[in-house]
Amino acid sequence: MKRKTLALALVLPALVSLVPSSPLRAEEGPVDYSGWNQLLEKYYDPAQGMNYKALKANDSPALAKLRQRMATVDPGKLAKNDQLAYWINLYNISVVSTVVEGYPVKSIRDLSTDFLIRLNVFKKDTIVTKGGKISLDTIENSKIREPFKDPRIHFAINCAAKTCPPIRTEAYVGSKIDAQLDDQARKFMTGPYGAKFKKDGDKLTVTVTKIMDWFKDDFEKWGGGRVKFLHKYVPADKQKMLDAAKGKVEFEFAPYDWALNDRSK
């Protein structure tokens, strides 16, 4: 018995040395979002919204396959920028999928079961990920807002509402996500639901999306304040108005229209 024990003691270290070592956390390459890009090209127009009716009728299987593929990704093994791109894309894909599954509806809020606030559609753990099922709220707050601390994300994620910042017509990718987020913020601020300026004597009033009210702290803590954030993304003539106001800007917030961003009609 002693001889067998001694033999094992001599052999085991040699066997262990033959096993190739591997890093505990090897980085994966960028995720393939070509399926998402194809669906966006076929069914989405930033000015009109998503053609949910046609998407449901013609490409529900492709959308389901895309969600399944997203669920196999381990975001913890991605580079930081690729992680942010993954979570933003997953949020947008999941919102579209949620609407498609429940379509026809007049608003994503109609898919909620709380009939007063009608927002628990965002709180249900319905999104399959590598780490288990999570909710849209978890993606927005725990996976995007808090880890990345970037107010531009509010113009990247889309909640299927008419006045929500539109979906980008291409998937976010880590290699160019900084430029993509800048572009999204700028497009929204200069678009139909963007910043509206009104000068009355020395008083400057700027009407902006309700998002900048709901998430005021994000713009204050991570964007240098709402005025500074706006200054970066509005046209030159509006920048001059902000400069002349010397920080004395009054904000008003446009009503949020929860009607579905539906171009099917």
Side-chain angles (χ1 to χ4, degrees):
M1 191 71 178
K2 289 182 179 179
R3 288 179 181 178
K4 289 182 179 179
T5 303
L6 179 59
L8 284 171
L10 293 172
V11 171
L12 283 175
L15 291 175
V16 170
S17 67
L18 296 175
V19 178
S21 61
S22 59
L24 292 176
R25 183 179 168 183
E27 273 191 4
E28 295 181 354
V31 182
D32 178 11
Y33 298 116
S34 58
W36 181 228
N37 285 333
Q38 290 166 11
L39 292 176
L40 288 171
E41 184 177 358
K42 288 174 72 173
Y43 300 108
Y44 189 70
D45 179 345
Q48 297 179 300
M50 182 69 71
N51 191 337
Y52 294 105
K53 182 178 180 179
L55 174 53
K56 182 168 186 172
N58 302 322
D59 270 318
S60 285
L63 186 58
K65 185 177 180 180
L66 175 60
R67 292 189 74 177
Q68 290 168 2
R69 189 180 302 119
M70 294 291 284
T72 67
V73 175
D74 185 349
K77 291 183 178 179
L78 299 174
K80 186 176 180 181
N81 281 354
D82 288 318
Q83 288 182 33
L84 178 56
Y86 169 80
W87 289 118
I88 292 174
N89 291 327
L90 180 61
Y91 187 97
N92 291 337
I93 291 167
S94 300
V95 165
V96 170
S97 298
T98 298
V99 174
V100 166
E101 287 169 4
Y103 194 84
V105 288
K106 293 182 179 180
S107 169
I108 191 173
R109 297 199 303 172
D110 295 341
L111 300 175
S112 290
T113 53
D114 60 331
F115 297 108
L116 291 178
I117 302 176
R118 295 196 297 154
L119 288 177
N120 76 343
V121 63
F122 295 97
K123 300 180 183 298
K124 297 176 182 178
D125 293 335
T126 57
I127 304 163
V128 181
T129 70
K130 188 82 170 177
K133 285 188 176 183
I134 59 177
S135 69
L136 288 165
D137 273 2
T138 298
I139 295 177
E140 178 179 5
N141 298 310
S142 300
K143 303 298 184 181
I144 299 178
R145 286 181 59 232
E146 286 303 325
F148 293 95
K149 296 177 170 48
D150 189 335
R152 294 177 299 174
I153 66 95
H154 294 296
F155 305 96
I157 58 174
N158 177 274
C159 62
K162 187 174 181 180
T163 55
C164 189
I167 303 172
R168 189 169 181 82
T169 54
E170 63 176 359
Y172 290 89
V173 292
S175 60
K176 56 180 182 178
I177 195 165
D178 189 59
Q180 288 177 315
L181 290 174
D182 270 346
D183 188 53
Q184 281 299 105
R186 186 171 294 108
K187 282 180 177 176
F188 181 78
M189 287 303 174
T190 57
Y193 302 113
K196 304 293 189 297
F197 285 62
K198 182 180 179 181
K199 190 78 164 59
D200 185 6
D202 294 332
K203 181 181 177 182
L204 177 62
T205 302
V206 184
T207 302
V208 292
T209 172
K210 188 70 176 172
I211 291 170
M212 296 188 77
D213 181 26
W214 291 331
F215 296 99
K216 176 184 176 181
D217 288 348
D218 290 12
F219 292 92
E220 296 298 328
K221 291 185 298 184
W222 308 328
R226 290 182 296 199
V227 171
K228 184 177 180 180
F229 185 89
L230 275 177
H231 192 279
K232 185 175 181 179
Y233 297 110
V234 296
D237 60 324
K238 302 295 193 300
Q239 289 177 346
K240 291 178 181 178
M241 294 175 73
L242 289 172
D243 291 337
K246 297 180 180 179
K248 296 180 180 179
V249 178
E250 183 175 317
F251 282 96
E252 293 183 353
F253 303 98
Y256 204 73
D257 187 349
W258 278 101
L260 194 66
N261 60 340
D262 188 1
R263 63 175 287 205
S264 306
K265 302 172 183 178

